[in-house]
Amino acid sequence: MKELTAREWHARAESIRLRSQAFIDGRFVDAASGETFDSVSPIDGRLLAKVASCGEEDVNRAVAAARRAFEERRWSGKAPAERKRILQAFAALIRENGDELALIETLDMGKPISDSLAVDVRATADSFDWYAEAVDKVYDEIAPTSDKALALITREPLGVVAAVVPWNFPMLMAAWKLAPALAARNSVVLKPAEQSSLSALKLAAEAGIPDGVLNVVPGMGPAAGRALGMHMDVDGVFFTGSTAVGRYFMEYAAKSNLKKIGLELGGKSPFILLGSFRDVERAASQVANSIFFNQGEMCTAPSRLIVEKSVHERAVEMIVRIAGDYVPGDPLDPKTRMGAMVDENHARRVMSFVDAARREGAEIAIGGARAREVTGGAFVEPTVFDRVDNRMTVAQEEIFGPMLSVIPVADVDEAVRVANDSPYGLASSVWTDDLTTAHAVSRRLRAGLVYVNCYDCDDMTVPFGGYKQSGTGRDKSLHAFDKYTELKTTWLSLDRG
């Protein structure tokens, strides 16, 4: 496939056609109110589209369509081989339309086009492929009863589920929800983030799934999101986003029908670099590349470098040098490594942490300023806060931007205490050449993901999710089916007496 130049990407951006209506019961429709919201590119502030702003009436229509499709067994009644074929065809179509989908993602969210192609499109297609393959490979059970009974344990779909997804990986986070939910035979209503709704609408148009099985209702969280959370005919809501919003969905479930809730929330992930790891340069490179990737807009971003004092100075020096390679640039240039924040409001929020760091006594080793302001875009420099105390704001709150807090510690025990001293428990990492230390620290870390001498290197075969206020339930792997299914016991008496 020919690699496009920045000029060619810009030309395509000028002529791209974007879907902006809601997708309900197999058709694109306006919001019942006729209201829209502006989808603005963070690259330069251009208006991309006026997107349907769905509210309660639209959610009711989408849920009703999903319920009809489920009750009529348009999807749930299909043979496993047929559902597998359709999901695989969808994955193939995502790959075929990869350039267009990547362009939509970059224009809408601000990430570099090279990342949209290499990460978002590829991983989205892979997710649908993986769960398609799982459709006819997940077996039910027979319980070990006496010979006078037969007890069947079967997995059955919840019914109608809602997926509410974030703006940082719009397609991929949708795929992590949609693929297992559909593989498990549910009907789905997808609510994309208002900051990045456009790729979800494109996907819905191309999915090839029966009408009513997949619906997309773009809109504001307090309107469309709340309506899904409170809906009495939604059997489960599965959300990725902030911990603050996750609390709302738990409240909505309690106030409505006690629907099943799955939450993948925030993180303040520790990256522990111990003096026993000899290749400090490799560790420094990994933490820098991981925190600055996707502009730091990742729940798993290793935003706290907890480093033993013996290697502290060397590590910071190397990270600062690497940060210079992440100068924010034109996201449509394939050479760009760091793009824009998702919107101007988020850029301002991220920058507020610079003031907090200065006020609380952290040192700024590099960055701490806006970038490319003449473009009208929402760009922020890669930033390193040095000599941070773990009680500081930048060490406790999720920034969701390209900002690393470096926390020097005396030894392994202090490193583990600092790592666990957080309300979050999503990802973590420990770097050591000592196998015993690696095992001991991994077991002590209170996090759903622990990387040893690597970072963010898992795949679809392992579960993704966190401890504490980082959420409940797991995405990815066969464990995701636990969220989208119910277990039914069927006891058959074989006693003729």
Side-chain angles (χ1 to χ4, degrees), residues 21-25 29-35 52-66 189 215-219 223-224 227-228 231:
Q21 295 174 291
F23 187 75
I24 299 175
D25 207 9
V29 295
D30 293 331
S33 65
E35 294 181 6
S53 188
C54 293
E56 185 174 358
E57 184 175 347
D58 306 291
V59 166
N60 289 341
R61 290 160 57 202
V63 172
V189 180
N215 307 272
V216 182
V217 286
L228 285 167
H231 206 290

Side-chain angles (χ1 to χ4, degrees), residues 455-478:
Y455 202 85
D456 203 21
C457 50
D458 45 11
D459 61 22
M460 288 301 300
T461 64
V462 293
F464 181 99
Y467 290 14
K468 298 187 282 187
Q469 293 182 38
S470 287
T472 60
R474 294 295 184 265
D475 287 325
K476 297 171 55 184
S477 83
L478 295 179

Side-chain angles (χ1 to χ4, degrees), residues 111-133:
K111 66 176 64 189
I113 189 69
S114 56
D115 289 346
S116 293
L117 283 166
V119 178
D120 298 58
V121 171
R122 176 191 56 78
T124 298
D126 288 350
S127 180
F128 281 102
D129 253 344
W130 198 89
Y131 282 103
E133 284 288 355

Side-chain angles (χ1 to χ4, degrees), residues 216-400:
V216 182
V217 286
M220 300 296 111
R226 184 181 187 280
L228 285 167
M230 292 292 293
H231 206 290
M232 295 296 291
D233 203 28
V234 170
D235 301 302
V237 172
F238 304 97
F239 169 74
T240 295
S242 72
T243 298
V245 176
R247 295 179 192 277
Y248 285 125
F249 281 106
M250 297 193 85
E251 181 180 339
Y252 298 153
K255 289 183 174 179
S256 57
N257 59 345
L258 292 178
K259 57 179 61 68
K260 185 179 281 192
I261 297 292
L263 304 173
E264 196 274 281
L265 306 176
K268 196 68 184 174
S269 301
F271 186 110
I272 299 173
L273 174 55
L274 300 176
S276 58
F277 189 75
R278 286 164 292 188
D279 193 350
V280 176
E281 185 170 359
R282 183 163 79 88
S285 176
Q286 184 68 75
V287 72
N289 291 329
S290 297
I291 186 62
F292 300 140
F293 171 69
N294 208 56
Q295 301 71 246
E297 294 168 324
M298 289 176 46
C299 52
T300 55
S303 52
R304 290 185 298 154
L305 172 59
I306 301 170
V307 56
E308 276 198 289
K309 292 176 181 177
S310 61
V311 293
H312 166 234
E313 297 291 346
R314 287 169 57 206
V316 171
E317 180 183 343
M318 293 171 186
I319 292 166
V320 167
R321 187 171 71 243
I322 295 166
D325 296 332
Y326 280 88
V327 176
D330 175 9
L332 291 175
D333 185 340
K335 296 184 180 67
T336 293
R337 299 185 70 182
M338 180 178 285
M341 299 286 96
V342 70
D343 62 18
E344 182 60 29
N345 287 336
H346 185 59
R348 290 197 195 101
R349 178 187 176 276
V350 168
M351 286 303 301
S352 72
F353 286 94
V354 176
D355 296 332
R358 287 195 175 110
R359 186 170 59 249
E360 295 175 11
E363 299 176 11
I364 298 180
I366 190 171
R370 293 292 296 266
R372 295 174 60 84
E373 292 184 272
V374 295
T375 65
F379 296 87
V380 171
E381 291 180 345
T383 301
V384 176
F385 303 120
D386 195 11
R387 303 187 186 281
V388 172
D389 184 286
N390 199 54
R391 293 167 294 185
M392 292 181 180
T393 301
V394 293
Q396 287 294 310
E397 294 189 18
E398 185 177 36
I399 299 174
F400 224 63

Side-chain angles (χ1 to χ4, degrees), residues 201-222:
L201 295 169
K202 172 67 176 175
L203 288 176
E206 306 291 344
I209 292 170
D211 292 351
V213 175
L214 173 58
N215 307 272
V216 182
V217 286
M220 300 296 111

